[in-house]
Amino acid sequence: MKTKRSLRLFFSYLLLIFIGIASIYPALWTIMSSFKVGDSLFSDTFIPNQFTLKHYSDLFHPENIAGKQVPYVKWYWNTLKIATMSMIIGTMIQLLTAYAVSRFRFKGRKTLLSTVLVLGMFPGFMSMIAIYVFLVQLNLLDTPWALIIVYSAGAALGLFVAKGFFDTIPKSLEEAARIDGANHFQVFSKIILPLSRPIITYISLMTFTGAWMDFIFAGLILRSRDQWTLAVGLFNLVDSYSSTAFTLFAAGAVLVAVPITILFAFTQRFLVEGLTSGANKG
Amino acid sequence: MNRYARTAGWLSVLSMGLGQLYNRQWLKGALFLLTHITGITLITTVLSKHIAGFFTLGEQGQHLVKVGKIYKNVPGDHSIFMMIYGLLSIMVVLIYLFIYYMNVRDAVANGRMREKGQPTKSFIDSIRYGVNNNFPWLILAIPIIGVLFFTIMPILFMIFMAFTNYSAPEHIPPKNLVDWIGLQTFKDLFTLNVWSDTFFGVLTWTIIWAILATVTCYFGGILVALLINQQGIKFKGLWRTLFIIPYAIPQFVSLLVMRNMLNDKFGPINQYFRFFGLDGLPWLSDPFWAKVSVIVVNMWIGIPVTMVLVMGILTSIPKDLYEAAEVDGATPWVKFRNITMPFVLFSTAPILITQFAGNINNFNVIFLLTKGGPSSIDYNMAGKTDLLVTWLYKLTLENNKYNVASAVGILIFIIIASVSIFSYTRSKSYREEDMIQ
């Protein structure tokens, strides 16, 4: 019995270690590659023989790699701008929408909810051509505002996670406040918002990273290299220079992934809550 | 007896605002009248032309006209713009009709109040009343406008596109006109060999992929969660954090990295194979191995999500169930089979269906890893690992076959919709939404 148990534990640990290595290997390998001398994908050893910070400094001095046109700092700034703005506007829109459908029973509510469900079933970029024509007409092509508007406009459709959360806040809280004479806006800002910290964190993170990572739509809208976001730029870097500028890509990728990963690490608790409440909607 | 309601109602039908004026609501009446005049002018001057354009899609494409002695290129009708403007105009007319309807209702309602001898509301009061009674709609106004223009309109446009011949190389405005051709595109997609071979091939792989990707991530996640949760395993938190890393790294970064790792010649994976004297495998360039690669990489990304969910569920299983089982002398295996597994399966079943639907449209994994490749001569504009959704992308952005792409999009919608309707109608939270309170 005792040996059977320790045998089981031994194999479990073996499996855990194997999965652990598989989980972090790509990240470690990328970090190692970003410090490697030279620019090729190939390397003889996992840990480079010589460490260099050249690739990182190249990212900040585009004149060193002029042939490749990688205005990395500009991309970073564009991305930060677009992601932050869409996060603020998108989160507000999504919260209000979810609040309205969770708290009020009004005519047309069921229709509204089913419409949102149906809209979510269309593949997203099927509509890209029409949006593209729109943006041309609005003269917004190749500007960050185009992306901010489109991301924020779509935010309302992700209302179900927040709705699921609001559904669990007891109604009696608001009724008490209403009796005390608070109006709708006061109820929302003084009672609902302070209680919704986890879900606000979750939505902000999702809208932020969503904007941070989109390379399809952003690639379509942002035409000039200077306007690109990181996702578009990095995708292009791998696509066009493939194995000739791999270490540069690795350095760029590390700088993109580090802030997001840290953000995730700090908000892990909220993420798990969001995932679980999102799952409940079925 | 005064019949204010009827008179006011008919006056409002005659022209917006008249009923309100009759009810002595001057400001409101004037505003409605103004809307009416603007609406009618717009419809007769601009909108009707655009709406007509929606049906004709233009009469003449770009053509040459003799000016003096030379021929000059004269721009013709741009069918696609005509279609979009037509759609927008129809929408404006619908909004106008909606306001018209509200105007009649308002006139009748106020007429009724006068019949009962109550005073009608002042302008300020009606606004205040409106705000308080329609508060949800007020909050929803901005999101609805956004969704209307950036989601619903484009989707409608796309649906209509499937019934035209808008595709390269012959029907691309402004050079040529686009015409309505009814169901021809769908017919071609199903019967014309050039399209149907690709369509059914891609469809088959999409379904196989969706099933495999969902099942592997689901059971993989459950297994990993159970592995960590075993009795006697130390550092549970550490393992969990370690395994969650793939989820935390931005997907497009990790996928692009993976693509390089699986590189045939220079990638580290094949390098290790060679180290052990093996040949290495064509991970992304051989149809079979490319399919294996995408599924394995997808597990790497998808397992952490299920793992987190299942670990949450494991902690919520009531302890007394296990205690009761122990009293009855159950072995660990019996406890696992009869308590843990049913509990986990039962509470995660809905996710299985959402993940399945999500995997049908899993653009990122396929596109970033293989770009749909390796390409094949059996397929028209698609590769061996292309899903319907990545094929759709290639059809639109790389080949400008807009009508085929739209038809494929509609078919994807039908697939996803049937899967989702199946799950939503069965989900508890949809049916018993108000029971929680």
Side-chain angles (χ1 to χ4, degrees), chain A residues 5 8-9 12-13 15-17 19-20 22-27 29-30 41-46 93 96-97 99-101 103-110 112-115 117-119 121-123 125-131 133-135 137-138 149-150 153-154 156-157 163 166-171 178 184-185 206 212-213 215-216 220 230-231 234-235 238-239 242-243 246 249 253 256-257 260-261 264 268 271-272 275-276 279-282, chain B residues 80-81 84-85 88 105 131-132 135-140 142-144 146-147 149-155 157-159 161 166 224 227-228 230-234 239-253 256-261 263 265-269 271-272 274 300 305 308-309 350-351 354 361 363-364 367-368 371 389 392-393 396-397 402 405-406 408-410 412-413 416-417 420-421 423-424 427 429-430 433-434 436-437:
Chain A
R5 187 184 132 92
R8 180 177 59 100
L9 275 184
S12 298
Y13 276 119
L15 206 56
L16 283 173
I17 289 168
I19 300 173
S23 300
I24 54 166
Y25 179 79
W29 179 69
T30 316
L41 175 59
F42 185 82
S43 90
D44 312 321
T45 50
F46 179 69
I93 288 183
L96 281 176
T97 318
Y99 177 70
V101 292
R103 276 331 205 215
F104 296 93
R105 294 290 173 268
F106 50 90
K107 233 171 112 187
R109 176 174 169 279
K110 278 264 158 159
L112 201 75
L113 285 176
S114 353
T115 315
L117 282 181
V118 170
L119 287 178
M121 294 171 199
F122 281 97
F125 30 62
M126 211 153 60
S127 46
M128 281 200 305
I129 306 298
I131 296 180
V133 175
F134 264 5
L135 294 173
Q137 293 305 301
L138 294 171
I149 290 174
V150 174
L157 295 178
K163 177 184 169 291
F166 286 140
D167 282 346
T168 61
I169 300 178
K171 262 201 169 138
R178 291 286 286 171
H184 286 307
F185 274 111
M206 283 299 138
W212 186 273
M213 280 169 220
F215 65 99
I216 310 159
L220 179 74
L230 280 172
L234 283 181
F235 179 66
V238 168
D239 220 32
S242 182
S243 45
F246 182 73
F249 161 78
V256 175
I260 297 280
T261 314
F264 265 67
Q268 216 197 67
L271 281 181
V272 174
L275 269 178
T276 345
N280 285 339
K281 83 173 190 207
Chain B
I80 293 312
F81 284 141
I84 290 190
Y85 288 139
L88 273 175
R105 258 184 56 162
V131 166
N132 245 333
F135 185 75
W137 286 110
L138 201 72
I139 305 182
L140 291 174
I142 294 174
I144 286 179
V147 169
F149 279 93
F150 288 98
T151 311
I152 295 182
M153 261 285 306
I155 286 179
F157 168 74
M158 186 295 303
I159 291 175
M161 217 151 65
Y166 183 24
V224 173
L227 197 64
I228 300 178
Q230 273 181 97
Q231 266 178 11
I233 295 284
K234 291 203 176 89
W239 295 117
R240 201 183 105 137
T241 321
L242 204 61
F243 295 172
I244 222 169
I245 285 176
Y247 176 65
I249 301 173
Q251 236 185 56
F252 84 91
V253 170
L256 287 176
V257 166
M258 288 287 195
R259 177 160 137 197
N260 281 297
M261 285 178 56
N263 187 307
K265 288 199 195 90
F266 309 109
I269 305 283
Q271 217 171 302
Y272 293 131
R274 271 179 226 121
W300 186 81
V305 182
V308 168
L309 284 173
I351 314 168
T354 8
N361 277 338
F363 182 87
N364 275 0
F367 190 78
L368 289 173
K371 273 202 145 183
V389 70
L392 171 78
Y393 172 88
T396 20
L397 292 184
Y402 298 107
S406 306
V408 172
I410 292 175
I412 297 178
F413 166 75
I416 302 272
S420 311
I421 288 170
S423 74
Y424 283 125
S427 109
S429 57
Y430 178 79
E433 189 174 41
D434 284 327
I436 303 168
Q437 302 298 333

Side-chain angles (χ1 to χ4, degrees), chain B residues 23-72:
Chain B
N23 283 340
R24 303 209 183 87
Q25 295 178 298
W26 310 116
L27 193 52
K28 205 201 279 180
L31 278 177
F32 268 124
L33 206 57
L34 202 68
T35 321
H36 186 56
I37 295 168
T38 334
I40 290 289
T41 336
L42 269 179
I43 287 175
T44 48
T45 54
V46 198
L47 300 183
S48 55
K49 224 186 297 164
H50 283 314
I51 293 176
F54 177 79
F55 292 103
T56 62
L57 291 183
E59 254 106 46
Q60 194 160 34
Q62 196 176 2
H63 56 286
L64 297 169
V65 170
K66 199 173 182 187
V67 184
K69 281 184 180 166
I70 43 162
Y71 278 96
K72 257 188 148 177

